[in-house]
Structure formats: C-alpha cells, structure tokens
Amino acid sequence: ESLIHIDDTVVASKQTFLKLHETAHHDMPTHRKMFRFFQDCEKTLDPEISDQFEREANNFARFALFKGNTFAEYAADCAFEIKTPMKLAKKFGASIYASAREFARTNHRACVVYVLEQLEFVDGDGACAVVRRIEPSPRFKAEFGVPTDKVITPDHFLWPVIPIGRKMTRPRSLSIADMNGQAHECVAEAFDTTYNIIILLYPTKALTAKTVIIPPGFQEATAS
C-alpha cells in the first residue's frame, strides 16, 4: 500500500492536482521503477530526467482533472469571458489558476491568460506585479506570438486592468500588435483570487469567430 503525503496547508482545490500528480509518479511504470530504484540508493535522478518526469506527472494530473477534452467542450459552450474558467473550476474541482490556464491552453479562439503575483510595493520603484505564468491559446500564439513580460508596472498596457481595491475588473478595451505589426482591438478583464491575479486578454474578433465541431466517427456523405 502506498501513501501520498500532501501539505494540508495547501488550498483544497490545489491539493486535488497534487494528489493526481503524485498518483502519476506511482502509476506510470517508468516513474515507479525509477523512483523505487533511487529510494534504495544514495544516487539521484539527472535534473533533465527529473524535469521530464515532473512534466509527465503534470500532464497526467491535468488530463485526469479536466477529464480529457471535457473541460474544453464545456468551455466552448460557455460565454467567452473570465467568469467561465472561474465557474468551471468549481465544476471540475480545480483551482481558478489551473482552470484559467486550461481555458486558454485548449481554446480554439485567440486568447491569452496572464497569471500575476499579488502587487508589491518596492521602495523607489513603486508598485508592480510579477508575472508568474503566461498561457496563450494555440491561435493567439500563431497570430501574436508568446508574450515575454516579466513584470507589470504602472506604465505597462495591462496595468489599468489590474483590480486594485476590488475583486474584478470589468472588460476594458486596449490595442496590441500581432507579429506583422498590425494593431488589433482587444478586451482584457481580470480577477483577484487572493493568491494570484488572473488576466484574460483576447482580440474582439474572437467574440464573433465561429467553429464547426465535427463529432467523432462523422463521415462526409458522397454522391452515389
């Protein structure tokens, strides 16, 4: 019998992901064999292999938590707004942080999620918010690239979106350039989870984009 030890000070919604992550290490044959081997000796895994195992365990946990493509299918039927991953987080027993990342990662429309640390006030520099994660959708990545922002300061275009003194920021219009330098009207909105600040940004054209989803097993009719 194996026991999974989880820090009970971690938020309950995050504990679910951690349990699934550790389950992956136990249930995936390669992980189980390697960890048992290294537990019985003083050697350690090569850092690159260790990182690979962690990524594989994260993918296992993500797949189990969001039921494969089920989360993406639910999200596609919901409003294209920041409240959607917040609501789906409760439905899937996930944290808003994980749900927001999954919302962007699996979305067929162009959008990007910024995850910021809470605001800091630095002597001489004023306020800022360190960027923890940036999760672009495949379409956003293809059109706009992957943002490389490290910190959001008062002169950053996303600063007005940060909810200061409130939990949420209403959708705000702004403009960003694609990889060809063409400007696009966008909308950004944010939510303060208490632990992080989540920003969802998307071009307004994504609101009118339509996608035809073909069910599995569908075969196009041919003339006889």
Side-chain angles (χ1 to χ4, degrees):
E1 183 178 353
S2 298
L3 295 177
I4 295 176
H5 299 277
I6 301 294
D7 184 353
D8 59 10
T9 63
V10 175
V11 180
S13 57
K14 291 186 178 180
Q15 287 188 25
T16 303
F17 185 90
L18 291 175
K19 291 174 183 177
L20 291 170
H21 176 99
E22 295 304 324
T23 298
H25 287 317
H26 178 267
D27 286 359
M28 297 175 75
T30 304
H31 291 220
R32 183 170 61 250
K33 291 178 182 178
M34 292 296 287
F35 280 117
R36 283 181 177 175
F37 173 79
F38 283 103
Q39 284 175 352
D40 295 333
C41 66
E42 297 181 356
K43 296 182 179 180
T44 58
L45 274 173
D46 179 272
E48 290 187 5
I49 296 177
S50 179
D51 287 344
Q52 179 182 338
F53 277 13
E54 291 304 302
R55 288 194 298 271
E56 290 174 352
N58 282 340
N59 286 334
F60 176 100
R62 174 194 158 209
F63 188 87
L65 182 62
F66 295 114
K67 309 295 188 294
N69 295 325
T70 305
F71 180 97
E73 292 169 356
Y74 270 92
D77 290 334
C78 296
F80 193 39
E81 60 183 10
I82 198 168
K83 289 182 180 179
T84 290
M86 292 167 60
K87 293 175 182 176
L88 292 179
K90 295 180 180 180
K91 184 175 184 65
F92 285 83
S95 65
I96 295 177
Y97 165 82
S99 183
R101 291 185 64 193
E102 188 72 6
F103 180 79
R105 184 189 288 123
T106 61
N107 212 296
H108 65 274
R109 289 165 288 198
C111 65
V112 61
V113 162
Y114 280 73
V115 181
L116 313 180
E117 301 290 1
Q118 287 295 331
L119 289 177
E120 298 179 3
F121 293 89
V122 182
D123 290 340
D125 293 330
C128 68
V130 174
V131 177
R132 178 180 176 183
R133 298 278 185 184
I134 298 178
E135 196 73 60
S137 69
R139 189 165 181 175
F140 185 96
K141 190 185 301 184
E143 295 182 17
F144 298 90
V146 180
T148 57
D149 307 272
K150 301 298 182 183
V151 64
I152 308 299
T153 54
D155 59 349
H156 193 281
F157 75 95
L158 284 177
W159 182 261
V161 184
I162 295 178
I164 300 176
R166 56 189 185 276
K167 294 295 290 182
M168 295 191 72
T169 302
R170 292 181 178 180
R172 300 177 67 101
S173 296
L174 48 84
S175 178
I176 62 172
D178 61 22
M179 291 193 292
N180 294 321
Q182 181 178 351
H184 293 260
E185 181 184 356
C186 294
V187 172
E189 48 186 326
F191 176 73
D192 186 342
T193 71
T194 302
Y195 305 99
N196 297 109
I197 296 170
I198 310 292
I199 297 176
L200 172 65
L201 182 152
Y202 49 89
T204 54
K205 65 180 182 180
L207 294 172
T208 57
K210 294 183 179 180
T211 299
V212 177
I213 300 177
I214 300 177
F218 175 84
Q219 293 184 346
E220 185 177 356
T222 57
S224 57

